């Protein structure tokens, strides 16, 4: 089996662009991702992640954007796993390469979220909850994650302030990212003092509603050799779980993340993520989600996430920087584009192109993308050129 | 690379079941598909095709049905390419097995279409058209295919009656299929005399609005060896095209089908489909689509499709029976379930379990699934146990 490599990755600006369309945003990402020496005629497969409800293209939402960048004829599949849509699209691209059915694959995602009414957006955002018992009962996503936050703070007697520390850290990183939606700093006190959205979550504990697109080119080892930048996909893992939070065994862990991480670590030879990883992009749709991710992915023991962020371990100058891009919190969360967008940051870090956010020669990083409140999760481990297994 | 095998396939009844849900229908298909000696704990990947707009589960529409059959934790991805959703889900399953990332994969699809208002259904069915220039301009799918039919009949001076012969043939087959939605016979004269839906298409030239689900288990060669029934996936092909009909080079051919067929034939070693195939399930959402498929897939030359059906070549007792299941026309077309449902017929034919529709020891068959009016197509070639390449 061939290894899979990322040979190009890029994203549109993330933000509020109601005048843009899924096509124009995807094209912006495609052009940012395309390696200088790409021959589009060599692309032999495409996967596009999008949730894409509302007034936009619904059926054939994949081919409708790939045709717009000129990839007529290339097999294109829309992949949807709610907020993990393009994390799964990337995993499909890796699978296509490893199956031998494709040599150069475009994986990406796109979402336009701000061109509908507030009422439609509320509907929109609820569709990834469990339909009968969450969405139709009126539960919002903030409400679901607030239940997780409340359960976590109680179980471990953790301070709400830990979530504000996550927010302040991610905004500090996002302020250095020219493509971030909310590219400004926010202090811990700002986050603490902000309006409550769903107790205990304040406004700054919640990611914004974002438009954007991201794209990644995945190649076989042989094809990758002809490109200048190469990042190896060292491991991939995915898992599903019951879609409704109320159906799960625990509110204070996301088991799909844990399983996905274990699978990816096994494949990549990551024995201890605390020492074997140099950075991670995790799914911080709400600040509590980042704290849970620390524990689900083995960055610390259960109940220790508040201390991890409090001690600065996950700050950009810490031992294991998390969300150097700004994360969903500050960079933004255009649903279908988020997973591929995380891979863009990993690619930029591992090729030394992360600008003001550049880490000091990172060798290995992780991306972690969650659908809904944990009904699906996918984890990738990436390695810089020349690094071979942990 | 391992070969991929289907080791179990089954479907729910297709019909109008507004009292059922996507979960109950999918479970019915899952139970019909599961081989007697299946250990559900061995399933290590799942792909679910569904369009799934309307009041049903939208985000995480894959995991929400796999959890209902007890597959908690298994990576599950929703795949959508409009009416080709589960044809692509099946292709993803083959890819997963051939990549070595999975050994036993569930691929399926489900759609509930009759539990919404007529107005909602009209919206529903339009979503796979091109949004800006087809759907929002008021074009329906019948209208799109009517344009193709009109262009075809004019270009080749073919009789409308050929479409009625397709309808009569498929209803004759569907009348022998206990799971068919419209399991009754219809004569050529009935089809000719029926109300016009979109000229030149009459009611009997159009498939019904159907609820249903279908499922297929795909295994690696090693795992397949432990099951009683095995059908080899000899070749797979897929292609996309411009989503809007008006953007394409021709109205009288579906280029995505042609490309997908060529790829599948190359992989399967099919030199001449007219002699190397024993049957085919093709995408007859409208009768014109079956005629185009004959030509796109090389069953006859361009302009010869009317003669092919007229001469009985594609009848169940002809040289190349097409749509022995009844096809989308008579068996029904629950969007996301259709592609997997075609594979169910192929599996049943190749394992001698097609009941009153059973062909005489077929060795090799094809399935052909189209999204929208040709924005995506996927073709599989299947071989019975013991047959090795053409």
């Amino acid at each position: 089996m061939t290894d899979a490599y990322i040979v190009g990755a890029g994203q549109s600006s993330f933000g509020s662009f109601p005048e843009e369309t899924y096509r124009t945003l995807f094209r912006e990402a495609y052009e940012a991702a395309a390696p200088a020496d790409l021959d589009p005629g060599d692309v032999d497969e495409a996967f596009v992640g999008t949730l894409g409800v509302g007034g936009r293209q619904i059926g054939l939402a994949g081919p409708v954007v790939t045709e717009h960048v000129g990839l007529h004829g290339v097999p294109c599949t829309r992949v949807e796993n709610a907020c993990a849509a393009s994390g799964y699209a990337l995993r499909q691209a890796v699978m296509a390469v490893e199956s031998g059915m494709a040599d150069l694959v475009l994986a990406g995602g796109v979402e336009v979220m701000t061109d509908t009414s507030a009422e439609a957006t509320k509907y929109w955002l609820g569709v990834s909850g469990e339909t009968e018992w969450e969405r139709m009962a009126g539960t919002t996503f903030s409400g679901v994650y607030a239940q997780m936050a409340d359960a976590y703070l109680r179980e471990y007697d953790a301070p709400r302030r830990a979530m504000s520390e996550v927010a302040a850290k991610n905004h500090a990183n996002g302020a250095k990212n020219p493509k971030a939606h909310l590219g400004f700093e926010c202090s811990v006190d700002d986050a603490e003092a902000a309006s409550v959205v769903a107790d205990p979550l304040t406004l700054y504990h919640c990611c914004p509603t974002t438009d954007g697109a991201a794209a990644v080119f995945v190649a076989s080892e042989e094809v990758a050799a002809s490109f200048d930048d190469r990042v190896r996909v060292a491991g991939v893992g995915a898992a599903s779980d019951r879609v409704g939070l109320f159906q799960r065994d625990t509110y204070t862990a996301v088991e799909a993340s844990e399983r996905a991480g274990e699978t990816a670590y096994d494949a990549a030879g990551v024995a201890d993520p605390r020492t074997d990883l140099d950075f991670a992009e995790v799914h911080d749709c709400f600040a509590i989600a980042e704290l849970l991710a620390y524990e689900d992915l083995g960055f610390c023991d259960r109940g220790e996430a508040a201390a991890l962020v409090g001690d600065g371990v996950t700050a950009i100058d810490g031992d294991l920087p998390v969300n150097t891009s700004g994360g969903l919190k500050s960079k933004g969360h255009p649903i279908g584009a988020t997973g591929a967008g995380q891979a863009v940051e990993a690619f930029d870090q591992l090729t030394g192109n992360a600008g003001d956010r550049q880490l000091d020669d990172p060798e290995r990083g992780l991306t972690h993308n969650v659908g809904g409140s944990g009904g699906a999760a996918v984890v990738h481990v990436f390695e810089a050129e020349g690094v071979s297994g942990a």
Side-chain angles (χ1 to χ4, degrees), chain A residues 283-316:
Chain A
H283 197 89
D284 61 323
C285 50
F286 296 92
I288 182 63
E290 179 162 327
L291 296 177
L292 296 179
Y294 291 172
E295 302 180 8
D296 295 327
L297 298 170
F299 298 171
C300 63
D301 293 336
R302 292 278 167 206
E304 299 296 326
L308 202 73
V309 66
D311 293 345
V313 175
T314 57
I316 199 162

Side-chain angles (χ1 to χ4, degrees), chain A residues 9-271:
Chain A
Q11 63 165 84
S12 71
S13 287
F14 281 5
S16 178
F17 308 120
E19 75 286 1
E20 296 289 338
T21 75
Y22 48 92
R23 282 175 165 146
T24 57
L25 286 171
F26 190 79
R27 170 171 277 191
E28 189 182 336
Y30 176 86
E31 290 175 354
D37 39 359
L38 176 77
D39 177 350
D42 291 337
V43 177
D44 53 6
E45 181 84 41
F47 296 97
V48 176
T50 187
L51 185 54
V53 293
R56 293 156 288 273
Q57 186 75 30
I58 300 176
L60 294 172
V64 86
V65 294
T66 50
E67 76 173 34
H68 189 66
V69 298
L71 297 181
H72 312 302
V74 171
C76 178
T77 307
R78 174 187 167 207
V79 167
E80 182 275 312
N81 259 351
C83 309
S86 63
Y88 273 84
L90 175 56
R91 179 171 178 263
Q92 291 311 122
V94 172
M95 210 177 255
V97 164
E98 296 196 347
S99 73
M101 287 170 71
D103 294 312
L104 182 58
V105 186
L106 172 64
V110 60
E111 215 73 64
V112 179
M113 301 181 68
T114 66
D115 65 346
T116 52
S117 66
E119 195 54 36
T121 301
K122 198 178 93 182
Y123 167 79
W124 231 106
L125 290 174
V127 300
S128 300
E130 204 278 344
T131 299
E132 285 84 1
W133 303 101
E134 287 183 341
R135 176 163 67 86
M136 293 177 76
T139 311
T140 63
F141 256 92
S142 319
V144 169
Y145 275 92
Q147 292 174 65
M148 298 164 87
D150 184 61
Y152 183 87
L153 300 187
R154 286 170 192 267
E155 182 164 338
Y156 296 113
D157 195 22
R160 185 182 81 168
R161 195 170 178 86
M163 297 199 292
S164 298
E165 287 168 344
V166 167
K169 169 182 73 67
N170 291 353
H171 272 276
N173 294 343
K176 297 176 181 168
N177 187 344
K179 299 222 167 155
H181 184 180
L182 304 180
F184 53 80
E185 298 201 354
C186 114
S187 71
V188 175
D189 289 340
D190 289 341
E192 283 289 285
S195 312
V196 170
V197 171
D199 185 55
L201 303 177
T202 75
L203 184 65
Y204 281 97
H205 300 149
C206 307
C207 71
T209 298
T210 304
D211 304 318
V216 174
F217 288 89
V218 180
S220 64
E221 191 162 6
E222 188 182 338
V223 168
S226 65
F227 290 99
D228 292 335
D229 290 320
R230 287 178 294 276
V231 164
R232 192 170 79 91
V233 183
V236 188
S240 70
D241 201 347
R242 294 161 179 89
V243 170
L245 174 64
F246 67 95
Q247 295 174 296
R248 296 200 209 121
D249 295 333
T250 174
Y251 279 31
T252 59
V254 176
E255 290 185 4
S257 294
E258 198 172 350
R259 282 181 181 229
E262 285 167 3
T263 304
Y265 292 159
D266 281 350
V270 169

